């Protein structure tokens, strides 16, 4: 059943009228034009759709717009300021952590959420926190090196 929902996306309130059970991922991509967040499996298993929801990494494909209503959502588009990439984005470039790049927005958002809660995250912390973010190119060693580089 359609309803009106308001979410804060990258610091700006956005209102949408849509079905309550519509995935947040669809709203971000199709209603708000924020296509940096990717569709992978659609069932919470790959991490391509990871956003930060009220400070925690979340799978936007299995989060409904009703669940996200009233929440603060951060997407890859909101990370950099006008002058500078976020430290995690820069580290992904410095460590050549992108191959096809499809999983990277989700990887970066998961890493940002991790490093906010654990700025001194170790390699073991990175592996544990990001094991659910899959990379079909299997570029895990460089991804982990990038996240370590961005950690304190
Ligand atoms: Fe959401 Fe795979 S698309 S976890």
């Amino acid at each position: 059943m359609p309803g009106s929902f308001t979410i804060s996306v990258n610091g700006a309130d956005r209102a949408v009228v849509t079905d309550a059970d519509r995935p947040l991922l669809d709203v971000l991509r199709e209603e708000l034009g924020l296509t940096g967040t990717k569709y992978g499996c659609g069932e919470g298993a790959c991490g391509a759709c990871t956003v930060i929801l009220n400070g925690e990494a979340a799978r936007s494909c299995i989060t409904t717009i009703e669940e996200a209503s009233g929440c603060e959502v951060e997407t890859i588009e909101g990370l950099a300021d006008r002058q500078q990439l976020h430290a995690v984005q820069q580290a992904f470039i410095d460590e050549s952590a992108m191959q096809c790049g499809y999983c990277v927005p989700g990887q970066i958002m998961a890493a940002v959420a991790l490093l906010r809660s654990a700025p001194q995250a170790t390699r073991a912390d990175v592996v544990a926190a990001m094991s659910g973010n899959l990379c079909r190119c299997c570029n895990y060693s460089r991804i982990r090196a990038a996240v370590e580089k961005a950690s304190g």
Side-chain angles (χ1 to χ4, degrees):
M1 178 166 171
S4 179
F5 304 94
T6 300
I7 53 177
S8 170
V9 182
N10 300 325
D13 282 350
R14 307 293 297 266
V16 291
V17 176
T18 190
D19 291 337
D21 62 355
R22 191 168 178 197
L24 173 61
L25 175 62
D26 288 3
V27 172
L28 292 171
R29 291 181 56 85
E30 296 167 11
E31 301 294 333
L32 304 181
L34 296 170
T35 55
T37 306
K38 302 304 185 197
Y39 177 93
C41 64
E43 54 189 32
C46 75
C49 66
T50 302
V51 296
I52 298 177
L53 188 71
N54 285 349
E56 305 278 341
R59 304 284 156 101
S60 61
C61 71
I62 54 170
T63 303
T64 66
I65 186 62
E66 185 172 44
E67 291 168 331
S69 183
C71 294
E72 306 254 341
V73 180
E74 294 173 72
T75 71
I76 191 74
E77 289 90 348
L79 273 190
D81 65 28
R82 290 182 189 278
Q83 309 297 328
Q84 197 167 19
L85 293 175
H86 186 282
V88 175
Q89 293 173 305
Q90 188 62 55
F92 268 65
I93 293 170
D94 294 344
E95 296 296 322
S96 300
M98 290 163 269
Q99 286 195 19
C100 83
Y102 195 82
C103 71
V104 167
Q107 301 277 2
I108 288 177
M109 297 312 286
V112 169
L114 168 66
L115 295 180
R116 283 182 186 163
S117 63
Q120 313 287 329
T122 65
R123 173 65 65 109
D125 296 330
V126 174
V127 171
M130 296 182 58
S131 61
N133 283 81
L134 306 184
C135 170
R136 287 188 66 181
C137 308
C138 291
N139 203 22
Y140 294 108
S141 62
R142 290 185 177 187
I143 290 168
R144 289 166 185 162
V147 180
E148 275 186 298
K149 180 178 180 132
S151 72

